[in-house]
Amino acid sequence: MKFNINKQRNILIAALLALSACKKDLLEITPTDRISEVALLNDSTLFQNYVINRYMGVRLANKEGEGTPPGFGRGFEYALWSSLTDESIYNNDDDTWLIQRGQLAPENTGIAGTFWGRSYRSIREVNFALAHIAEVSMSAGLRERLTAELKFIRAFRYHDLIRNYGGVVLVGDAVGELTDDLADPKLFQRSSIKESIDYAVAQLNEAAAALPANNDNSWALGRATKGAALALKSRLLLYAASPLYSAGTWADAAAAAKAVMDLNKYSLFQGGYRELFLTDQNPEAIFERLYTYGAPHVRTEIANGPNGYNGWGGNVPLQNLVDDYRMANGKAITDPTSGYNPQDPYANRDPRFYATILYNGAPYRNSTVQTFRPGGKDSPDGPSNWNSSKTGYYLRKFMDDTNPIDNPWEVAGRQPWFYIRYAEILLNYAEAQNEAVGPDATVYAAINSIRRRPSVNMPDVPVGLSQAQMREVIRNERRVELAFEEHRFYDVRRWKIAEVTENVPAYGINITKTGNTFTYARKVALEGRSFAPKHYWLPIPRAEIQASGNKLPQNKDY
């Protein structure tokens, strides 16, 4: 029977409260809205459901996890993480503009304020399970698997902490209590980035050794596998070797990605690039989140659709991203030999452009997108003009045209969300190997395999590139291949180029129609975009600092 991590929502609600432990108050009233520790530890099925639900978290901010509680990251919530980068802006703010404008502060974290609290809550929940798993009656094999799964979840939460804050507090197996002595400096001592990454990688090594190779009838879909643990290790070691971290080697990062490749389990999806993101359990999926009819997430089509179709605009792509899609011949639009025509700017582009972005003239739902003025139905001249795109573009990626935009509430919102897919691993390997030894044949093979997919069919990377030239190819390939998948925010930071990319204005396009002729003029879609060196890391929320008695060290310059 198909199973996924959202099926047992009633158990989730109870299990999230389990750590509170059922205790009688002065009136001897027994709560009925939670499960006691005794019950949890005396029922192996209930305990396993508790473990499964650690893939999710509590709702800590507005608009998080509509329909289902949030998981790892903010995938498919209203404002995507892309709208904190040069990929998109969120049309109606959703607490993103202050981050785009460099106004991030410990007291004002916008949508970026929940990582610390949610991650440490989850780590405590995992530690509770690890502390008591030996008490639960179950087979030795199941206990080993669940222990490995808990270590994977804990490592994923640390990975989220590290990539947002740098060195973090490593609590080990401790289960924090309200009675803990806040005077103990160990409670708030932040480890170095290297120590933090080393700990998470060690957890992933232990998890990979015991996790199953596959999700099948005995191991629920959407749960961690050996490949997921090794893939997350690949990402962490890639970060570790990057300039911002300087806590590892490129050779180690390349080896970690190669270990995933050598499993010979995953391959690139050979169907359409757009269909990839609508197809769960496809061969490219390494770690994904699945959704069911009974637990829909944000309905992506209405949340991001054009106003002329009664959509809300949502995460609207920037001209900055549009300009970085190559021509179909593989050349940049700035190359005078590319064939790019600024008066026909969307012709003959990388096929991934058409699968990712809705532009003026794009075919969509038995019509075409019209962002031109005057009169374009998807421009401010159209209906619901408060939802019209501020950039002149709309999001195409992830959208399922079989879902309705009008009244989607009971039927839409079940696309899978890929936390890790095989294309990322190939890009991890290409980057790390290029930095370690230069652009050898294996680097070319990794990049070209992505570009050769039937639905992409881009030319091979030119031979004879220098290491620096290949670096730029790989960075561009990550930009277009992984667009809107929560990578760009971290990539420009770990490469330490955010002071360039995030200080470029947030550009859109004005399109004017005169007769049958269109003219295109670049515009600033969001004023005041800004990035300072301190923004390479998020600030720890002020409330967390205060809760520590001001003993928890804040990130520099906040």
Side-chain angles (χ1 to χ4, degrees), residues 539-551:
I540 298 172
R542 180 70 67 200
E544 302 290 347
I545 302 290
Q546 292 172 334
S548 74
N550 294 314
K551 295 182 179 66

Side-chain angles (χ1 to χ4, degrees), residues 108-125:
N108 195 10
T109 53
I111 68 168
T114 59
F115 284 110
W116 190 274
R118 178 176 293 113
S119 297
Y120 277 112
R121 174 171 177 145
S122 180
I123 289 165
R124 184 192 184 278
E125 292 167 349

Side-chain angles (χ1 to χ4, degrees), residues 16-54:
L16 284 172
L17 297 169
L19 298 182
S20 298
C22 177
K23 296 183 183 296
K24 295 183 178 181
D25 63 16
L26 294 176
L27 297 177
E28 296 293 316
I29 296 174
T30 302
T32 59
D33 64 343
R34 64 196 67 186
I35 296 174
S36 69
E37 288 183 12
V38 172
L40 186 65
L41 301 179
N42 278 283
D43 186 330
S44 61
T45 299
L46 186 59
F47 186 87
Q48 183 168 192
N49 286 330
Y50 175 87
V51 173
I52 292 171
N53 283 303
R54 303 287 64 75

